[in-house]
């Protein structure tokens, strides 16, 4: 297939682009490099440096693409609270422009990078797709709005679409992994602390109703995530918009993640206990039963040490390309 990957210079987008190329697909990446890294774009991909909303129509017109994987987004929860206009424009307005270009070019398939943040603070786990959506920040709200827009485009214009709601993505694939200017994810933060790029890791809340008192989250390996995107493309049906959760179905606490990082690295990790953060649920675990049933997908790399090891190997190999290392200079 010939596929357009938006945001293909970012973490998940670059891994998915690399896996698609490894499977023999033709890949065109569009990324404005506002948060992505040029060296994260696979060498075999055609790269266009631009904002997708400005070039979607020209790129897709006459290109005979078989599908679009849409990763490009503003994705920092805290930033979305203080700069909501940036998120409504960068996420929703941009995606509507892309959807219009998909419609005009008769591109048949779309896979959208959605998020578990659409559920807000659910009162029970595992989280299923039938549970209420109640995002607690503009980031989650914009992703939910896009899900609604995709449903209407599928109904009216015959688009074959899938929204994949990720939980905590981690790990790496070959030379592709997580290298953000602003890092908010636990595993890379802990590993950066082990490397001395951060002074310590803060544990927000040690009195949660969990076995060790720290919050529990569902971690999915980025390679398993990429596999789900390929299966979603292959099984897409016209006039149908599927919304599927992607997680491992297993929860690991903050303490367990820190312990795994210490085991894998063999290095000491400075830890500071801190108060709970407002809005943090005690436990977030996905039910991926619908994805398993509809895609024939199941996560393979579910061992926490494997996820951490792959992320650690990638981080060590970054060298002077690491944004975290540069910030300590």
């Amino acid at each position: 297939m010939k596929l357009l990957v938006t945001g293909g210079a970012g973490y998940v987008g670059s891994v998915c682009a690399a896996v698609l190329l490894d499977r023999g697909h033709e890949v065109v990446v569009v990324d404005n490099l506002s948060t992505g890294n040029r060296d994260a774009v696979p060498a075999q991909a055609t790269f266009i440096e631009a904002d997708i909303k400005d070039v979607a129509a020209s790129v897709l017109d006459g290109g005979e693409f078989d599908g679009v994987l849409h990763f490009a987004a503003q994705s920092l929860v805290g930033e979305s609270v203080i700069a909501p206009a940036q998120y409504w424009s960068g996420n929703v307005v941009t995606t509507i422009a892309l959807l219009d270009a998909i419609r005009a070019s008769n591109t048949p398939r779309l896979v959208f990078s959605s998020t578990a943040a659409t559920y807000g603070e659910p009162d029970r786990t595992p989280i299923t797709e039938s549970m209420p959506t109640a995002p607690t920040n503009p980031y989650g709200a914009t992703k939910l709005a896009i899900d609604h827009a995709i449903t209407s485009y599928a109904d009216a214009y015959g688009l074959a679409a899938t929204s994949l709601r990720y939980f905590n993505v981690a790990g790496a694939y070959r030379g592709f992994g997580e290298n953000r200017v602003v890092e908010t994810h636990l595993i890379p933060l802990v590993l950066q602390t082990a490397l001395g790029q951060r002074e310590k890791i803060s544990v927000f809340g040690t009195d949660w109703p969990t076995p060790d008192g720290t919050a529990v989250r569902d971690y999915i390996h980025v390679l398993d995530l990429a596999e789900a995107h390929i299966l979603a493309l292959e099984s897409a049906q016209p006039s149908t918009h599927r919304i599927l959760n992607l997680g491992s179905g297993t929860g690991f606490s903050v303490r367990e993640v820190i312990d795994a990082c210490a085991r894998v690295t063999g290095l000491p990790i400075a830890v500071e206990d801190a108060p709970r953060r407002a809005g943090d649920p005690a436990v977030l675990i996905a039910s991926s039963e619908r994805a398993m049933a509809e895609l024939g997908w199941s996560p393979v790399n579910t061992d926490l040490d494997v996820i951490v090891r792959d992320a650690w190997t990638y981080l060590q190999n970054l060298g002077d390309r690491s944004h975290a290392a540069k910030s300590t200079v």
Side-chain angles (χ1 to χ4, degrees):
M1 289 189 285
K2 182 179 180 181
L3 301 166
L4 173 62
V5 177
T6 77
Y11 172 36
V12 178
S14 66
V15 171
C16 284
V19 174
L20 287 166
L21 287 161
D22 288 347
R23 301 288 178 87
H25 299 291
E26 181 182 353
V27 173
V28 176
V29 168
V30 175
D31 197 300
N32 63 12
L33 300 184
S34 59
T35 57
N37 303 296
R38 176 63 183 89
D39 60 10
V41 179
Q44 307 97 310
T46 299
F47 177 58
I48 300 169
E49 183 179 348
D51 193 309
I52 188 60
K53 76 174 182 294
D54 298 328
V55 301
S58 60
V59 171
L60 289 173
D61 183 34
E64 297 182 347
F65 282 84
D66 297 294
V68 175
L69 295 95
H70 182 35
F71 301 98
Q74 306 285 320
S75 60
L76 297 176
V77 170
E79 183 182 62
S80 78
V81 174
I82 61 175
Q86 177 180 327
Y87 278 68
W88 287 100
S89 175
N91 291 354
V92 178
V93 174
T94 292
T95 304
I96 296 301
L98 176 61
L99 285 169
D100 285 340
I102 288 170
R103 176 192 173 199
S105 63
N106 294 313
T107 303
R109 303 174 187 86
L110 170 68
V111 179
F112 172 56
S113 170
S114 192
T115 173
T118 55
Y119 296 111
E121 301 174 22
D123 57 6
R124 56 190 169 86
T125 59
I127 298 166
T128 67
E129 294 85 351
S130 62
M131 291 175 65
T133 48
T136 58
N137 52 70
Y139 165 64
T142 61
K143 289 286 193 172
L144 180 59
I146 293 167
D147 281 341
H148 287 312
I150 293 171
T151 295
S152 64
Y153 272 66
D155 289 344
Y157 308 125
L159 180 63
T162 307
S163 290
L164 299 176
R165 289 180 174 167
Y166 313 161
F167 281 65
N168 291 60
V169 187
Y173 173 69
R174 296 199 288 110
F176 303 93
E178 201 162 2
N179 184 24
R180 306 172 192 265
V181 174
V182 180
E183 186 56 75
T184 59
H185 295 165
L186 179 61
I187 288 176
L189 288 173
V190 177
L191 293 176
Q192 289 167 9
T193 305
L195 272 180
Q197 295 171 350
R198 296 180 184 274
E199 181 182 350
K200 59 193 173 184
I201 188 72
S202 296
V203 177
F204 295 103
T206 58
D207 58 348
W208 296 102
T210 61
D212 65 13
T214 64
V216 172
R217 296 292 182 266
D218 186 329
Y219 293 88
I220 178 172
H221 196 291
V222 68
L223 183 55
D224 288 327
L225 196 75
E227 181 66 30
H229 284 76
I230 294 171
L231 292 170
L233 282 169
E234 293 173 345
S235 61
Q237 296 296 319
S239 301
T240 301
H241 177 212
R242 300 174 296 187
I243 297 177
L244 306 173
N245 290 342
L246 290 183
S248 69
T250 302
F252 296 101
S253 73
V254 173
R255 295 277 190 220
E256 288 176 316
V257 169
I258 294 171
D259 289 346
C261 291
R263 279 194 306 273
V264 169
T265 65
L267 295 171
I269 298 168
V271 177
E272 173 189 61
D273 291 343
R276 296 184 185 185
R277 293 179 297 194
D280 270 357
V283 180
L284 289 176
I285 299 175
S287 167
S288 298
E289 290 183 3
R290 184 176 293 179
M292 293 176 183
E294 297 192 15
L295 302 181
W297 170 86
S298 61
V300 174
N301 304 285
T302 57
D303 185 282
L304 182 58
D305 282 21
V306 170
I307 295 172
V308 170
R309 181 202 65 207
D310 290 350
W312 176 239
T313 300
Y314 170 77
L315 184 60
Q316 287 181 296
N317 290 334
L318 268 180
D320 59 8
R321 294 181 293 120
S322 167
H323 290 300
K326 292 173 185 176
S327 69
T328 63
V329 175

